[in-house]
Amino acid sequence: MPSTAAKNLDMQGFHIYGEILSKDCIGDLFKKMTATRDFGPNLFLSKQEYSRQQNHFNTNPNAEFNFLNQFSNELAVVEKDKRIDATLTEVLGQGYEVVIKKAVCGVPEFWLPAWVKEKIDNVNVANLGPYIKKEYRDITYFRGIDFHQDIIDWPAGSTDLDPSTFLTLYVYLHDVDRYDSPLHILPGTHRYGSTLFPHKLKRHEENTWSYKDDCGKCLDAIDTTLTGGPGFVGLWHNCLLHGTQPVKHESEKFRLSLRYLLAKSNTNNEQTAIDNINKNIDGTLRPIRTRRDLDKLGKAKIKGNIINK
Ligand SMILES: O=C(O)CCC(=O)C(=O)O
Ligand SMILES: [Fe+2]
């Protein structure tokens, strides 16, 4: 019998554990993380430094250049959690892999230089990496990201692993309320598999969206906001639509969270829950192309933001 978590991933495309991790351990980690650098306007390049760059590529953390590497002991509270490990072992099988783990930072408006505000105005993936000083790009900084699927980063040929098995695990490190750029997820939208970004979404009531895939199939989804406290954990399928609005606090508060991308190992040939979940998906799981919003330099050529409307 599949566990509740596996059933939720199948039926809804996500599973919420809630605030399951030790508040003391998470609080300690958060304190250490925030003490390492001056989280604020000083993270940004000058306009002149920015304009010397050729493109917007390679501005995200990787395995080696990664803020989380200094916290491997503290991260045991997540990585050795028996409940999370049980789900991942059931869904992805023994020896599941961490494709990438990173810290994600939701940036408040007052950090932004005026020229950056102008550049990201109405951009749907406000990944601030290209505007951040190189030494601080070991974290991903967002000013919100429009509804997307995490498979957006993994078109065919981009990895040796099988992206249809990827799951994203998010951990909140402090209280995340509706103004702290909480995640918004659209339950059930994983069912159409991978579709092209920007997605075909129309709001027809305050909280209800109609979602069309690239073949014309249509479903309704209720916008679900993941607010929660320190140690809150959520897990979702690579094709689930989700996004964030910018931090709306006018205080100095910013959001710092953990994001793990997990995968079934190539050496695991056993049938696991993810294979059953993916059998119920009516669409492509190995997209050739995932987005049409970027130009050759990786800069946004299509503007307009759905989640902020
Ligand atoms: O934390 C954010 O604002 C972005 C969340 C997200 O969708 C991601 O990291 O994939
Ligand atoms: Fe995402």
Side-chain angles (χ1 to χ4, degrees):
M1 272 292 285
S3 65
T4 305
K7 273 190 229 157
N8 286 341
L9 283 167
D10 181 20
M11 305 296 291
Q12 305 288 338
F14 67 95
H15 176 67
I16 303 304
Y17 294 88
E19 293 167 21
I20 59 165
L21 304 178
S22 152
K23 296 220 184 285
D24 285 348
C25 296
I26 292 292
D28 172 62
L29 171 62
F30 181 57
K31 220 162 115 192
K32 286 182 179 156
M33 287 170 78
T34 50
T36 56
R37 72 184 50 167
D38 176 14
F39 282 91
N42 172 53
L43 298 170
F44 287 83
L45 294 169
S46 68
K47 190 173 183 182
Q48 212 174 28
E49 287 163 325
Y50 167 79
S51 62
R52 282 200 286 269
Q53 298 176 132
Q54 308 289 335
N55 59 52
H56 277 193
F57 297 126
N58 301 319
T59 64
N60 277 301
N62 55 40
E64 292 78 39
F65 182 58
N66 195 311
F67 182 71
L68 293 187
N69 288 349
Q70 62 196 298
F71 298 109
S72 41
N73 293 336
E74 289 83 356
L75 290 172
V77 62
V78 181
E79 294 167 16
K80 303 231 180 302
D81 183 88
K82 293 217 165 56
R83 295 152 292 191
I84 297 174
D85 181 63
T87 308
L88 296 177
T89 305
E90 175 190 2
V91 178
L92 303 178
Q94 296 284 348
Y96 60 83
E97 300 200 20
V98 178
V99 183
I100 173 93
K101 57 177 147 180
K102 63 183 182 180
V104 178
C105 180
V107 169
E109 182 169 14
F110 90 97
W111 289 11
L112 297 172
W115 66 272
V116 174
K117 257 187 235 175
E118 233 166 77
K119 291 259 185 212
I120 63 170
D121 183 42
N122 213 18
V123 161
N124 47 20
V125 180
N127 184 331
L128 302 174
Y131 311 105
I132 297 281
K133 289 176 184 158
K134 285 215 165 100
E135 64 267 35
Y136 298 131
R137 292 179 185 173
D138 54 354
I139 293 177
T140 292
Y141 303 84
F142 277 117
R143 182 100 185 117
I145 174 166
D146 209 353
F147 283 118
H148 66 282
Q149 305 171 315
D150 286 336
I151 202 167
I152 188 171
D153 294 323
W154 307 98
S158 59
T159 169
D160 292 337
L161 291 160
D162 175 0
S164 76
T165 70
F166 289 9
L167 300 176
T168 302
L169 185 95
Y170 239 76
V171 181
Y172 288 163
L173 302 178
H174 52 80
D175 267 314
V176 175
D177 67 28
R178 52 196 283 243
Y179 303 113
D180 292 312
S181 187
L183 280 142
H184 287 248
I185 53 180
L186 299 182
T189 50
H190 66 306
R191 275 297 158 94
Y192 291 163
S194 168
T195 59
L196 205 56
F197 178 89
H199 298 281
K200 298 187 186 109
L201 283 165
K202 283 217 166 72
R203 197 198 291 268
H204 59 75
E205 274 166 58
E206 176 59 18
N207 280 327
T208 312
W209 293 85
S210 85
Y211 168 46
K212 236 192 217 156
D213 74 358
D214 299 325
C215 308
K217 294 197 294 300
C218 198
L219 60 78
D220 279 352
I222 297 172
D223 188 331
T224 306
T225 308
L226 303 186
T227 50
F232 174 98
V233 181
L235 178 71
W236 58 85
H237 189 279
N238 219 11
C239 294
L240 184 79
L241 287 174
H242 63 282
T244 54
Q245 295 181 336
V247 171
K248 287 179 188 154
H249 275 296
E250 283 176 18
S251 67
E252 303 197 351
K253 197 172 174 198
F254 57 99
R255 178 166 61 76
L256 200 56
S257 311
L258 305 177
R259 180 196 199 265
Y260 286 78
L261 191 64
L262 305 140
K264 185 165 180 168
S265 160
N266 279 340
T267 60
N268 189 337
N269 298 315
E270 280 167 36
Q271 184 81 7
T272 61
I274 192 66
D275 303 302
N276 298 325
I277 291 167
N278 284 344
K279 272 186 207 146
N280 292 330
I281 283 184
D282 186 7
T284 180
L285 285 164
R286 292 182 184 77
I288 308 285
R289 193 169 166 231
T290 56
R291 62 196 298 176
R292 58 181 181 87
D293 59 313
L294 299 182
D295 66 14
K296 283 196 295 271
L297 299 174
K299 300 184 184 183
K301 65 173 181 189
I302 295 183
K303 294 210 176 175
N305 195 308
I306 300 167
I307 196 170
N308 294 334
K309 265 189 212 152

